[in-house]
Amino acid sequence: MEMFLTYLKVFAIGGLVCMIGQVLINKTQMSSARILVLYMLAGVVLEVTGAFEYMKQFAGSGVTIPIMGFGSNLAKGALEGVKEDGFLGAIAGGMSAVAAGLTTAIVCGFVFGLISKSRSKKI
C-alpha cells in the first residue's frame, strides 16, 4: 500500500506540473518554448532557495523528471563549480552536472533521426 501511495504522489505532482503548463498554453499567448524556459528557471530558483530538495523528498520523480529537474541540476552543478573553481566553475560545473542527460538526448535524437523518414505534414 505504501508503494501505491508513493506512485500516486509522484503521478499527482507530475500531472499538476504538466497541467499548469497546459493551462499556460491554453489561456495565455505564451509559446511552448517560453513555458519550457519558465519551468527551467523555476527549477533554478527553487534549487537556489533550497525549496527543490523538499519538493524532491515529497514528490520524487514527479518534479525531477520534468524540465524543472534539469534547471535544478544545472543550478546545483553551477553552485558546486563556483565553490571549487570560482567564476569559470559556474559554467563548467553546471555543464558537467547535466552532461549525462544532454548526451543521452543528443544520441537518441541522432539515432531516431537515422531510422526515421522525414516527410512534410499533409493538411
Side-chain angles (χ1 to χ4, degrees):
M1 186 66 177
E2 184 179 333
M3 184 183 292
F4 174 75
L5 292 176
T6 301
Y7 284 134
L8 186 63
K9 277 195 300 189
V10 168
F11 181 76
I13 299 301
L16 180 68
V17 169
C18 293
M19 184 187 75
I20 292 168
Q22 190 63 48
V23 167
L24 288 172
I25 289 171
N26 291 345
K27 300 293 182 185
T28 67
Q29 297 295 321
M30 292 176 72
S31 66
S32 11
R34 288 181 187 222
I35 294 169
L36 284 172
V37 170
L38 182 70
Y39 272 143
M40 190 183 75
L41 289 176
V44 169
V45 169
L46 289 170
E47 179 65 42
V48 169
T49 60
F52 198 81
E53 188 62 36
Y54 296 112
M55 291 174 65
K56 191 166 38 172
Q57 287 174 359
F58 177 75
S61 61
V63 293
T64 58
I65 297 300
I67 193 76
M68 288 187 341
F70 178 79
S72 168
N73 284 338
L74 196 61
K76 188 184 302 184
L79 291 172
E80 290 172 4
V82 166
K83 289 177 186 174
E84 294 174 7
D85 299 324
F87 179 73
L88 289 178
I91 297 168
M95 291 308 292
S96 65
V98 297
L102 285 176
T103 302
T104 303
I106 291 168
V107 169
C108 287
F110 179 73
V111 169
F112 282 108
L114 288 176
I115 63 175
S116 300
K117 192 182 248 187
S118 178
R119 60 177 183 247
S120 297
K121 270 185 165 178
K122 293 186 181 181
I123 299 174

Short mmCIF file of all heavy atoms in Angstrom, two decimals, residues 6-62:
data_model
loop_
_atom_site.label_atom_id
_atom_site.label_comp_id
_atom_site.label_asym_id
_atom_site.label_seq_id
_atom_site.Cartn_x
_atom_site.Cartn_y
_atom_site.Cartn_z
N THR A 6 3.10 6.17 -2.84
CA THR A 6 4.27 6.85 -3.41
C THR A 6 4.05 7.13 -4.89
O THR A 6 4.28 8.24 -5.38
CB THR A 6 5.54 6.02 -3.21
OG1 THR A 6 5.73 5.81 -1.81
CG2 THR A 6 6.75 6.72 -3.79
N TYR A 7 3.60 6.10 -5.63
CA TYR A 7 3.32 6.28 -7.06
C TYR A 7 2.22 7.32 -7.28
O TYR A 7 2.28 8.11 -8.22
CB TYR A 7 2.92 4.96 -7.71
CG TYR A 7 4.08 4.03 -7.96
CD1 TYR A 7 3.98 2.70 -7.63
CD2 TYR A 7 5.26 4.48 -8.54
CE1 TYR A 7 5.04 1.82 -7.85
CE2 TYR A 7 6.32 3.64 -8.76
CZ TYR A 7 6.20 2.30 -8.43
OH TYR A 7 7.24 1.46 -8.66
N LEU A 8 1.22 7.32 -6.41
CA LEU A 8 0.13 8.27 -6.53
C LEU A 8 0.63 9.71 -6.34
O LEU A 8 0.26 10.60 -7.10
CB LEU A 8 -0.96 7.95 -5.51
CG LEU A 8 -2.23 8.78 -5.59
CD1 LEU A 8 -2.93 8.54 -6.93
CD2 LEU A 8 -3.16 8.43 -4.45
N LYS A 9 1.52 9.93 -5.34
CA LYS A 9 2.08 11.26 -5.12
C LYS A 9 2.90 11.71 -6.33
O LYS A 9 2.76 12.84 -6.79
CB LYS A 9 2.99 11.27 -3.88
CG LYS A 9 2.27 11.43 -2.59
CD LYS A 9 3.20 11.80 -1.46
CE LYS A 9 4.27 10.76 -1.23
NZ LYS A 9 5.04 10.99 0.00
N VAL A 10 3.75 10.81 -6.84
CA VAL A 10 4.59 11.16 -7.98
C VAL A 10 3.72 11.51 -9.19
O VAL A 10 3.95 12.51 -9.87
CB VAL A 10 5.55 9.99 -8.32
CG1 VAL A 10 6.22 10.19 -9.66
CG2 VAL A 10 6.59 9.84 -7.23
N PHE A 11 2.71 10.70 -9.45
CA PHE A 11 1.82 10.93 -10.59
C PHE A 11 1.04 12.23 -10.41
O PHE A 11 0.89 13.01 -11.36
CB PHE A 11 0.87 9.75 -10.75
CG PHE A 11 -0.05 9.89 -11.92
CD1 PHE A 11 0.39 9.68 -13.21
CD2 PHE A 11 -1.38 10.24 -11.71
CE1 PHE A 11 -0.46 9.82 -14.28
CE2 PHE A 11 -2.24 10.38 -12.78
CZ PHE A 11 -1.78 10.17 -14.07
N ALA A 12 0.54 12.47 -9.21
CA ALA A 12 -0.27 13.67 -8.97
C ALA A 12 0.56 14.95 -9.12
O ALA A 12 0.12 15.91 -9.76
CB ALA A 12 -0.90 13.60 -7.58
N ILE A 13 1.75 14.97 -8.55
CA ILE A 13 2.59 16.17 -8.63
C ILE A 13 3.10 16.37 -10.06
O ILE A 13 3.09 17.49 -10.58
CB ILE A 13 3.75 16.11 -7.63
CG1 ILE A 13 3.22 16.01 -6.19
CG2 ILE A 13 4.67 17.31 -7.77
CD1 ILE A 13 2.32 17.16 -5.77
N GLY A 14 3.54 15.30 -10.70
CA GLY A 14 3.97 15.41 -12.10
C GLY A 14 2.83 15.86 -12.99
O GLY A 14 3.00 16.68 -13.90
N GLY A 15 1.63 15.33 -12.74
CA GLY A 15 0.46 15.75 -13.50
C GLY A 15 0.10 17.20 -13.26
O GLY A 15 -0.32 17.91 -14.17
N LEU A 16 0.27 17.65 -12.02
CA LEU A 16 0.00 19.05 -11.69
C LEU A 16 0.96 19.98 -12.44
O LEU A 16 0.54 21.00 -12.98
CB LEU A 16 0.11 19.27 -10.18
CG LEU A 16 -0.14 20.69 -9.69
CD1 LEU A 16 -1.59 21.08 -9.89
CD2 LEU A 16 0.24 20.80 -8.22
N VAL A 17 2.22 19.59 -12.50
CA VAL A 17 3.22 20.39 -13.23
C VAL A 17 2.83 20.47 -14.71
O VAL A 17 2.84 21.55 -15.31
CB VAL A 17 4.63 19.77 -13.08
CG1 VAL A 17 5.62 20.40 -14.03
CG2 VAL A 17 5.11 19.91 -11.64
N CYS A 18 2.43 19.34 -15.29
CA CYS A 18 2.02 19.33 -16.69
C CYS A 18 0.72 20.10 -16.91
O CYS A 18 0.56 20.78 -17.93
CB CYS A 18 1.86 17.89 -17.18
SG CYS A 18 3.40 16.99 -17.23
N MET A 19 -0.20 20.00 -15.95
CA MET A 19 -1.47 20.71 -16.07
C MET A 19 -1.25 22.22 -16.07
O MET A 19 -1.87 22.94 -16.85
CB MET A 19 -2.40 20.32 -14.93
CG MET A 19 -3.78 20.95 -15.05
SD MET A 19 -4.80 20.65 -13.62
CE MET A 19 -4.09 21.78 -12.45
N ILE A 20 -0.36 22.68 -15.22
CA ILE A 20 -0.06 24.12 -15.18
C ILE A 20 0.50 24.57 -16.53
O ILE A 20 0.12 25.62 -17.06
CB ILE A 20 0.90 24.46 -14.03
CG1 ILE A 20 0.21 24.25 -12.69
CG2 ILE A 20 1.43 25.88 -14.14
CD1 ILE A 20 1.15 24.28 -11.49
N GLY A 21 1.38 23.76 -17.11
CA GLY A 21 1.91 24.08 -18.43
C GLY A 21 0.83 24.11 -19.50
O GLY A 21 0.81 25.01 -20.36
N GLN A 22 -0.10 23.17 -19.45
CA GLN A 22 -1.19 23.14 -20.42
C GLN A 22 -2.11 24.34 -20.26
O GLN A 22 -2.58 24.92 -21.24
CB GLN A 22 -1.98 21.84 -20.30
CG GLN A 22 -2.97 21.63 -21.43
CD GLN A 22 -2.29 21.51 -22.77
OE1 GLN A 22 -1.33 20.76 -22.92
NE2 GLN A 22 -2.78 22.24 -23.76
N VAL A 23 -2.38 24.73 -19.02
CA VAL A 23 -3.21 25.91 -18.78
C VAL A 23 -2.52 27.15 -19.33
O VAL A 23 -3.17 28.02 -19.94
CB VAL A 23 -3.53 26.06 -17.27
CG1 VAL A 23 -4.12 27.42 -16.95
CG2 VAL A 23 -4.47 24.95 -16.82
N LEU A 24 -1.20 27.24 -19.14
CA LEU A 24 -0.47 28.38 -19.69
C LEU A 24 -0.55 28.41 -21.21
O LEU A 24 -0.67 29.49 -21.81
CB LEU A 24 1.00 28.34 -19.24
CG LEU A 24 1.26 28.68 -17.78
CD1 LEU A 24 2.71 28.42 -17.42
CD2 LEU A 24 0.88 30.11 -17.48
N ILE A 25 -0.49 27.25 -21.85
CA ILE A 25 -0.60 27.20 -23.31
C ILE A 25 -2.00 27.63 -23.75
O ILE A 25 -2.16 28.41 -24.69
CB ILE A 25 -0.29 25.77 -23.83
CG1 ILE A 25 1.20 25.48 -23.69
CG2 ILE A 25 -0.71 25.62 -25.29
CD1 ILE A 25 1.57 24.04 -23.97
N ASN A 26 -3.03 27.12 -23.06
CA ASN A 26 -4.41 27.38 -23.48
C ASN A 26 -4.89 28.79 -23.17
O ASN A 26 -5.65 29.37 -23.93
CB ASN A 26 -5.36 26.38 -22.83
CG ASN A 26 -5.17 24.97 -23.35
OD1 ASN A 26 -4.54 24.75 -24.37
ND2 ASN A 26 -5.71 24.02 -22.63
N LYS A 27 -4.48 29.35 -22.04
CA LYS A 27 -5.05 30.62 -21.57
C LYS A 27 -4.18 31.84 -21.80
O LYS A 27 -4.62 32.95 -21.56
CB LYS A 27 -5.37 30.52 -20.07
CG LYS A 27 -6.36 29.43 -19.73
CD LYS A 27 -7.72 29.76 -20.29
CE LYS A 27 -8.72 28.68 -19.90
NZ LYS A 27 -10.02 28.88 -20.50
N THR A 28 -2.94 31.64 -22.22
CA THR A 28 -2.07 32.79 -22.47
C THR A 28 -1.56 32.73 -23.90
O THR A 28 -1.81 31.78 -24.63
CB THR A 28 -0.86 32.80 -21.52
OG1 THR A 28 -0.01 31.70 -21.82
CG2 THR A 28 -1.30 32.75 -20.06
N GLN A 29 -0.83 33.72 -24.29
CA GLN A 29 -0.21 33.75 -25.61
C GLN A 29 1.23 33.23 -25.59
O GLN A 29 1.96 33.40 -26.54
CB GLN A 29 -0.22 35.20 -26.15
CG GLN A 29 -1.60 35.77 -26.35
CD GLN A 29 -2.35 35.03 -27.44
OE1 GLN A 29 -1.80 34.65 -28.45
NE2 GLN A 29 -3.65 34.80 -27.21
N MET A 30 1.59 32.57 -24.48
CA MET A 30 2.96 32.08 -24.34
C MET A 30 3.18 30.87 -25.25
O MET A 30 2.33 30.01 -25.36
CB MET A 30 3.25 31.67 -22.90
CG MET A 30 3.29 32.82 -21.93
SD MET A 30 3.53 32.28 -20.23
CE MET A 30 5.23 31.77 -20.29
N SER A 31 4.34 30.84 -25.88
CA SER A 31 4.69 29.68 -26.70
C SER A 31 5.23 28.57 -25.80
O SER A 31 5.60 28.80 -24.65
CB SER A 31 5.75 30.06 -27.74
OG SER A 31 6.96 30.39 -27.09
N SER A 32 5.25 27.35 -26.33
CA SER A 32 5.77 26.24 -25.51
C SER A 32 7.24 26.45 -25.16
O SER A 32 7.66 26.02 -24.10
CB SER A 32 5.59 24.90 -26.18
OG SER A 32 5.20 24.95 -27.48
N ALA A 33 8.00 27.09 -26.03
CA ALA A 33 9.41 27.34 -25.73
C ALA A 33 9.54 28.27 -24.52
O ALA A 33 10.39 28.04 -23.65
CB ALA A 33 10.10 27.95 -26.94
N ARG A 34 8.72 29.27 -24.43
CA ARG A 34 8.77 30.18 -23.28
C ARG A 34 8.35 29.48 -22.00
O ARG A 34 8.89 29.75 -20.93
CB ARG A 34 7.90 31.40 -23.53
CG ARG A 34 8.50 32.31 -24.56
CD ARG A 34 7.65 33.53 -24.78
NE ARG A 34 8.20 34.27 -25.91
CZ ARG A 34 8.32 35.57 -25.94
NH1 ARG A 34 7.92 36.29 -24.93
NH2 ARG A 34 8.84 36.15 -26.99
N ILE A 35 7.39 28.59 -22.11
CA ILE A 35 6.95 27.86 -20.93
C ILE A 35 8.06 26.91 -20.46
O ILE A 35 8.30 26.78 -19.25
CB ILE A 35 5.64 27.10 -21.22
CG1 ILE A 35 4.52 28.12 -21.46
CG2 ILE A 35 5.27 26.16 -20.08
CD1 ILE A 35 3.24 27.53 -22.00
N LEU A 36 8.78 26.29 -21.39
CA LEU A 36 9.91 25.44 -21.01
C LEU A 36 10.97 26.24 -20.29
O LEU A 36 11.52 25.79 -19.27
CB LEU A 36 10.51 24.77 -22.25
CG LEU A 36 9.74 23.60 -22.82
CD1 LEU A 36 10.34 23.16 -24.16
CD2 LEU A 36 9.72 22.44 -21.86
N VAL A 37 11.28 27.42 -20.79
CA VAL A 37 12.27 28.28 -20.14
C VAL A 37 11.77 28.70 -18.76
O VAL A 37 12.54 28.71 -17.79
CB VAL A 37 12.59 29.51 -21.02
CG1 VAL A 37 13.42 30.53 -20.26
CG2 VAL A 37 13.30 29.07 -22.28
N LEU A 38 10.48 29.00 -18.65
CA LEU A 38 9.90 29.37 -17.36
C LEU A 38 10.04 28.23 -16.35
O LEU A 38 10.44 28.45 -15.20
CB LEU A 38 8.43 29.74 -17.54
CG LEU A 38 7.68 30.19 -16.31
CD1 LEU A 38 8.17 31.57 -15.88
CD2 LEU A 38 6.19 30.22 -16.61
N TYR A 39 9.75 27.01 -16.78
CA TYR A 39 9.90 25.85 -15.89
C TYR A 39 11.36 25.61 -15.52
O TYR A 39 11.66 25.28 -14.38
CB TYR A 39 9.34 24.59 -16.54
CG TYR A 39 7.87 24.37 -16.29
CD1 TYR A 39 7.05 23.85 -17.27
CD2 TYR A 39 7.30 24.66 -15.06
CE1 TYR A 39 5.71 23.62 -17.05
CE2 TYR A 39 5.96 24.45 -14.83
CZ TYR A 39 5.18 23.93 -15.82
OH TYR A 39 3.85 23.70 -15.58
N MET A 40 12.27 25.78 -16.47
CA MET A 40 13.67 25.58 -16.15
C MET A 40 14.15 26.62 -15.14
O MET A 40 14.84 26.30 -14.18
CB MET A 40 14.54 25.63 -17.40
CG MET A 40 15.96 25.19 -17.12
SD MET A 40 17.05 25.30 -18.52
CE MET A 40 17.34 27.03 -18.59
N LEU A 41 13.75 27.87 -15.34
CA LEU A 41 14.13 28.92 -14.40
C LEU A 41 13.48 28.70 -13.04
O LEU A 41 14.09 29.01 -12.01
CB LEU A 41 13.76 30.29 -14.96
CG LEU A 41 14.61 30.77 -16.13
CD1 LEU A 41 14.08 32.09 -16.67
CD2 LEU A 41 16.06 30.88 -15.75
N ALA A 42 12.27 28.15 -13.02
CA ALA A 42 11.63 27.83 -11.74
C ALA A 42 12.45 26.78 -11.01
O ALA A 42 12.63 26.86 -9.79
CB ALA A 42 10.20 27.33 -11.98
N GLY A 43 12.97 25.78 -11.73
CA GLY A 43 13.83 24.78 -11.12
C GLY A 43 15.10 25.39 -10.56
O GLY A 43 15.55 25.02 -9.47
N VAL A 44 15.67 26.34 -11.28
CA VAL A 44 16.88 27.02 -10.81
C VAL A 44 16.58 27.80 -9.54
O VAL A 44 17.30 27.70 -8.54
CB VAL A 44 17.45 27.97 -11.90
CG1 VAL A 44 18.52 28.87 -11.35
CG2 VAL A 44 17.98 27.16 -13.08
N VAL A 45 15.50 28.57 -9.54
CA VAL A 45 15.14 29.39 -8.38
C VAL A 45 14.82 28.50 -7.18
O VAL A 45 15.26 28.76 -6.05
CB VAL A 45 13.95 30.32 -8.72
CG1 VAL A 45 13.40 30.98 -7.48
CG2 VAL A 45 14.38 31.36 -9.73
N LEU A 46 14.08 27.42 -7.42
CA LEU A 46 13.74 26.51 -6.32
C LEU A 46 14.98 25.84 -5.74
O LEU A 46 15.07 25.62 -4.53
CB LEU A 46 12.74 25.46 -6.78
CG LEU A 46 11.32 25.98 -7.05
CD1 LEU A 46 10.50 24.92 -7.74
CD2 LEU A 46 10.67 26.42 -5.76
N GLU A 47 15.96 25.52 -6.59
CA GLU A 47 17.21 24.91 -6.12
C GLU A 47 18.03 25.90 -5.31
O GLU A 47 18.55 25.57 -4.25
CB GLU A 47 18.03 24.38 -7.29
CG GLU A 47 19.32 23.75 -6.90
CD GLU A 47 19.14 22.49 -6.06
OE1 GLU A 47 18.28 21.67 -6.38
OE2 GLU A 47 19.89 22.34 -5.08
N VAL A 48 18.15 27.12 -5.80
CA VAL A 48 18.95 28.13 -5.12
C VAL A 48 18.34 28.49 -3.77
O VAL A 48 19.07 28.70 -2.80
CB VAL A 48 19.11 29.39 -6.02
CG1 VAL A 48 19.71 30.55 -5.26
CG2 VAL A 48 19.97 29.05 -7.23
N THR A 49 17.02 28.52 -3.68
CA THR A 49 16.37 28.85 -2.41
C THR A 49 16.30 27.66 -1.45
O THR A 49 15.97 27.84 -0.28
CB THR A 49 14.95 29.40 -2.63
OG1 THR A 49 14.18 28.40 -3.30
CG2 THR A 49 14.97 30.67 -3.43
N GLY A 50 16.57 26.47 -1.95
CA GLY A 50 16.54 25.27 -1.12
C GLY A 50 15.19 24.58 -1.07
O GLY A 50 15.05 23.54 -0.43
N ALA A 51 14.21 25.10 -1.77
CA ALA A 51 12.86 24.51 -1.75
C ALA A 51 12.78 23.25 -2.61
O ALA A 51 11.93 22.39 -2.36
CB ALA A 51 11.84 25.53 -2.23
N PHE A 52 13.64 23.12 -3.60
CA PHE A 52 13.54 21.97 -4.50
C PHE A 52 13.84 20.66 -3.78
O PHE A 52 13.26 19.63 -4.11
CB PHE A 52 14.49 22.14 -5.70
CG PHE A 52 14.14 21.24 -6.85
CD1 PHE A 52 13.13 21.58 -7.73
CD2 PHE A 52 14.81 20.04 -7.04
CE1 PHE A 52 12.80 20.75 -8.78
CE2 PHE A 52 14.48 19.21 -8.09
CZ PHE A 52 13.47 19.57 -8.96
N GLU A 53 14.70 20.70 -2.79
CA GLU A 53 15.03 19.48 -2.03
C GLU A 53 13.80 18.95 -1.30
O GLU A 53 13.56 17.75 -1.27
CB GLU A 53 16.16 19.76 -1.05
CG GLU A 53 16.69 18.54 -0.36
CD GLU A 53 17.30 17.52 -1.33
OE1 GLU A 53 17.92 17.92 -2.32
OE2 GLU A 53 17.11 16.31 -1.07
N TYR A 54 13.02 19.85 -0.72
CA TYR A 54 11.79 19.43 -0.04
C TYR A 54 10.78 18.87 -1.03
O TYR A 54 10.10 17.88 -0.75
CB TYR A 54 11.18 20.60 0.74
CG TYR A 54 12.06 21.09 1.85
CD1 TYR A 54 12.65 22.34 1.80
CD2 TYR A 54 12.31 20.29 2.96
CE1 TYR A 54 13.47 22.80 2.82
CE2 TYR A 54 13.13 20.73 3.99
CZ TYR A 54 13.71 21.98 3.91
OH TYR A 54 14.52 22.42 4.92
N MET A 55 10.69 19.51 -2.20
CA MET A 55 9.77 19.00 -3.22
C MET A 55 10.21 17.63 -3.70
O MET A 55 9.39 16.75 -3.94
CB MET A 55 9.71 19.98 -4.40
CG MET A 55 9.03 21.29 -4.07
SD MET A 55 9.13 22.49 -5.41
CE MET A 55 8.18 21.69 -6.66
N LYS A 56 11.52 17.45 -3.84
CA LYS A 56 12.06 16.18 -4.30
C LYS A 56 11.81 15.08 -3.27
O LYS A 56 11.50 13.95 -3.63
CB LYS A 56 13.55 16.33 -4.59
CG LYS A 56 14.15 15.18 -5.32
CD LYS A 56 15.53 15.44 -5.90
CE LYS A 56 16.43 16.27 -5.06
NZ LYS A 56 17.79 16.35 -5.56
N GLN A 57 11.93 15.39 -2.00
CA GLN A 57 11.66 14.40 -0.96
C GLN A 57 10.19 13.99 -0.96
O GLN A 57 9.86 12.84 -0.71
CB GLN A 57 12.04 14.95 0.42
CG GLN A 57 13.52 15.04 0.65
CD GLN A 57 13.85 15.72 1.97
OE1 GLN A 57 12.97 16.15 2.70
NE2 GLN A 57 15.14 15.83 2.27
N PHE A 58 9.30 14.94 -1.23
CA PHE A 58 7.87 14.63 -1.21
C PHE A 58 7.42 13.93 -2.49
O PHE A 58 6.76 12.91 -2.44
CB PHE A 58 7.06 15.91 -1.01
CG PHE A 58 5.58 15.68 -1.06
CD1 PHE A 58 4.93 15.09 0.02
CD2 PHE A 58 4.83 16.03 -2.16
CE1 PHE A 58 3.57 14.86 -0.02
CE2 PHE A 58 3.47 15.80 -2.21
CZ PHE A 58 2.84 15.22 -1.13
N ALA A 59 7.78 14.48 -3.65
CA ALA A 59 7.22 14.01 -4.91
C ALA A 59 8.17 13.18 -5.75
O ALA A 59 7.76 12.64 -6.77
CB ALA A 59 6.73 15.20 -5.72
N GLY A 60 9.43 13.08 -5.38
CA GLY A 60 10.37 12.24 -6.13
C GLY A 60 10.47 12.64 -7.59
O GLY A 60 10.67 13.80 -7.92
N SER A 61 10.30 11.66 -8.48
CA SER A 61 10.47 11.92 -9.90
C SER A 61 9.34 12.75 -10.48
O SER A 61 9.42 13.17 -11.64
CB SER A 61 10.61 10.61 -10.67
OG SER A 61 9.45 9.83 -10.51
N GLY A 62 8.30 13.03 -9.72
CA GLY A 62 7.24 13.91 -10.19
C GLY A 62 7.73 15.32 -10.44
O GLY A 62 7.16 16.05 -11.24
#
